[in-house]
Amino acid sequence: MAMDKARSARTNVTGQDARPRLSIKKNIGSGDSSSDSGTLGQCAPGSRVSAMDIKRQQKGNRKRNIFIGIGVLAVLVSAFLFSRLEPAAPTIDRNVIVQGTVARGEMVREVRGSGTLVPEHVQFVAAVTAGRVESVHFEPGQTVSATDVLVVLSNPDVELQVLEAEQQWTAARATLVTLRQTLGTGVLSQEAAVADARASSLEARREADAYDEMVDNEWVSENEHRNAQDRADALEERLRTEQARLDLLNSTIDERLAVQRDQVDRLANIHRYYEERAATMRVVAGADGVLQDFDLDIGQWVQSGTTLARVAQPEKLKAELRIPQTQARDVQVGQTAWVDTRRDTIPGRVRRVDPNVQGGSVLVEVALDGDMPAGARPDLNVEGTIELERLSDVLYAGRPTYGQSQSTVSLFRVIENGDAAERVSVQLGRSSVNQIEVLEGLQEGDVIILSDMSRYDDINRVRIR
């Protein structure tokens, strides 16, 4: 019991089990005194030799600690090296990307836009007078002449205005006749008054002259002589007054008649205007061509100024293209253009550039040269290309999906015989529809990826399979 407790205590102290002691016992029992003679010699005579009485030498841990340190150092070095490694390059399919080769030579700058074919000459038919649709004589797509009546409108107010204007015009003409008669009668009456005044004045003057001789002979009194003189003078003054009145009347006859004639003419014009306005309710085409945008129903009310139809001449067409405002700044009148109708290509030239921007685009009008193809018709959707200029001996490539002119972008350049691509910084210059000038970053013969590679913005290298 005491030996078990001693063994247990020694095991706790030394951290070793009892197996070495069993070995020692075995050696002692076998009489091997060569290995433990020193130890046995220290025992007292007649005492029992036990393994617990032998002092065991503790082994060192130096080698094990060295191995552990080397392992820890290897783990740290491996972790550092792995942290310095870049992620594996992603792989893209060769069949889903578009590649282009950088070349040197002549580059044609072009811009492109969509639009429609429109007639050169279009007659807009509008309602001059508001009215209700009474009858429709044509349908869209039919060929009409300038004098054909397209639709008939009705408006009772307009008809009433015509009658009122005619009444006023007739009254003015009657007033002119009455005025001419009145003025003529007045002139005749005044001429008669002048004649009476002249006769009275002459008679009074003769009487006064007779009184002059009679007063010398004292046949009449001085008072009677003076009365005769005064009467002759008064009648002469009356003659002058009546003559002046006649002259004034004659001088104002033309003016008064002219005023009334102007009034008659004015009312005649008003009457004519209302008659023409009523006549416009029979709406005519106004030009020869094909009827378009003509959609009216019987009984429909249309307002004054409403466009009722268009009459187009399909033999001569032009193209109206919408060019993005960022590209339209270089478009000039006279530049060569091509209009694609999906079946034919029609040459033309820029005739007009609209100065206004609408919806982010600029309207460019292209005059078409030569005869129109069989499929060309008004309102046909077309694609137009305008040649801006030709650049000689420049480095250029296909235009990438995300490359803008006069900018610096990152592109993937194909390397390793087409099996990989690396990111390079490229400075771009002037651009065209499908090509763009390369200023720096690439050389002639380099192959670049033109497809959208925005999902690889944080990657500098990709593999191509």
Side-chain angles (χ1 to χ4, degrees):
M1 192 70 178
M3 291 180 64
D4 293 337
K5 292 182 179 180
R7 186 181 298 112
S8 177
R10 186 170 184 83
T11 302
N12 293 335
V13 173
T14 62
Q16 305 292 329
D17 56 10
R19 284 178 293 180
R21 297 190 185 93
L22 294 177
S23 178
I24 296 174
K25 284 183 180 182
K26 184 177 181 180
N27 294 334
I28 295 174
S30 62
D32 187 2
S33 59
S34 61
S35 59
D36 296 323
S37 60
T39 305
L40 294 176
Q42 296 177 1
C43 296
S47 62
R48 185 179 176 180
V49 179
S50 175
M52 295 182 59
D53 297 328
I54 300 173
K55 186 177 180 181
R56 187 172 177 275
Q57 296 293 331
Q58 190 175 5
K59 294 182 179 180
N61 296 328
R62 181 176 182 183
K63 183 180 293 186
R64 186 180 63 179
N65 293 337
I66 290 174
F67 288 150
I68 293 174
I70 292 174
V72 171
L73 181 60
V75 170
L76 294 177
V77 172
S78 300
F80 174 76
L81 293 178
F82 278 115
S83 65
R84 299 290 294 177
L85 290 177
E86 295 183 355
T91 302
I92 59 177
D93 192 350
R94 191 185 308 273
N95 296 325
V96 300
I97 60 174
V98 179
Q99 302 181 17
T101 304
V102 180
R104 179 176 293 278
E106 184 182 59
M107 171 183 163
V108 181
R109 291 190 61 212
E110 299 174 336
V111 294
R112 181 176 297 170
S114 59
T116 56
L117 294 181
V118 297
E120 286 276 1
H121 305 286
V122 178
Q123 176 73 27
F124 289 90
V125 182
V128 178
T129 306
R132 193 173 306 279
V133 178
E134 291 291 334
S135 61
V136 178
H137 299 165
F138 289 89
E139 294 182 357
Q142 288 185 306
T143 302
V144 296
S145 61
T147 57
D148 287 339
V149 178
L150 304 180
V151 61
V152 177
L153 306 176
S154 64
N155 190 337
D157 294 336
V158 175
E159 297 174 1
L160 181 60
Q161 290 173 348
V162 173
L163 295 177
E164 291 176 350
E166 185 178 4
Q167 180 183 8
Q168 294 176 1
W169 179 42
T170 302
R173 287 187 296 170
T175 302
L176 177 61
V177 174
T178 302
L179 179 61
R180 185 182 294 111
Q181 181 181 1
T182 301
L183 293 177
T185 302
V187 170
L188 295 177
S189 299
Q190 188 61 33
E191 290 178 348
V194 169
D196 291 342
R198 182 180 294 108
S200 299
S201 176
L202 292 176
E203 182 181 359
R205 178 54 58 190
R206 287 194 298 270
E207 185 178 352
D209 293 341
Y211 274 39
D212 289 341
E213 296 178 357
M214 294 173 67
V215 74
D216 292 339
N217 297 325
E218 297 182 355
W219 291 346
V220 295
S221 64
E222 185 65 27
N223 186 36
E224 292 177 339
H225 175 256
R226 290 182 177 180
N227 288 336
Q229 291 291 337
D230 293 340
R231 184 171 178 272
D233 294 339
L235 291 175
E236 288 180 356
E237 185 64 27
R238 179 186 173 187
L239 174 61
R240 287 193 298 270
T241 302
E242 294 295 339
Q243 185 63 46
R245 185 176 298 170
L246 177 60
D247 295 339
L248 179 61
L249 184 60
N250 288 328
S251 64
T252 57
I253 286 178
D254 294 339
E255 295 180 0
R256 295 176 65 180
L257 291 176
V259 171
Q260 189 59 32
R261 289 193 190 97
D262 291 342
Q263 180 67 10
V264 171
D265 294 340
R266 189 178 300 109
L267 293 175
N269 292 333
I270 294 175
H271 176 256
R272 188 181 305 110
Y273 166 76
Y274 282 114
E275 280 190 334
E276 293 175 354
R277 187 179 180 188
T280 58
M281 301 185 73
R282 295 176 59 85
V283 183
V284 298
D288 299 337
V290 178
L291 188 62
Q292 298 177 346
D293 299 339
F294 186 58
D295 186 14
L296 295 175
D297 298 325
I298 302 298
Q300 177 181 349
W301 181 267
V302 295
Q303 298 292 339
S304 176
T306 302
T307 300
L308 304 180
R310 291 191 307 164
V311 178
Q313 298 178 359
E315 296 81 10
K316 189 64 175 176
L317 300 176
K318 63 182 178 181
E320 290 184 350
L321 305 178
R322 287 285 179 181
I323 306 298
Q325 61 176 345
T326 56
Q327 304 176 14
R329 60 177 178 267
D330 296 329
V331 178
Q332 302 292 332
V333 175
Q335 291 175 338
T336 304
W338 294 270
V339 176
D340 185 7
T341 65
R342 307 297 194 280
R343 296 182 58 184
D344 300 280
T345 301
I346 310 173
R349 291 192 174 276
V350 176
R351 181 164 61 185
R352 186 177 68 89
V353 180
D354 196 329
N356 300 320
V357 178
Q358 296 181 356
S361 61
V362 176
L363 178 65
V364 178
E365 186 177 297
V366 177
L368 304 180
D369 300 333
D371 297 333
M372 295 296 104
R377 65 180 185 275
D379 299 329
L380 177 66
N381 293 328
V382 296
E383 293 286 339
T385 303
I386 301 174
E387 180 181 316
L388 302 179
E389 61 179 334
R390 291 180 176 268
L391 305 176
S392 59
D393 193 23
V394 295
L395 198 65
Y396 65 92
R399 185 169 183 174
T401 57
Y402 47 88
Q404 300 296 330
S405 61
Q406 306 299 333
S407 64
T408 300
V409 297
S410 295
L411 301 176
F412 279 92
R413 179 177 56 190
V414 178
I415 58 176
E416 299 179 3
N417 296 326
D419 295 333
E422 63 178 0
R423 183 183 298 277
V424 293
S425 179
V426 179
Q427 184 177 355
L428 304 177
R430 292 162 290 187
S431 64
S432 181
V433 175
N434 299 319
Q435 298 173 336
I436 193 165
E437 183 184 11
V438 178
L439 299 179
E440 293 181 1
L442 295 174
Q443 296 180 356
E444 183 179 357
D446 288 346
V447 179
I448 59 176
I449 298 178
L450 305 178
S451 305
D452 184 10
M453 301 288 287
S454 57
R455 60 178 178 172
Y456 302 110
D457 286 343
D458 55 345
I459 303 298
N460 293 326
R461 180 185 177 90
V462 296
R463 291 182 299 171
I464 303 175
R465 64 180 178 183

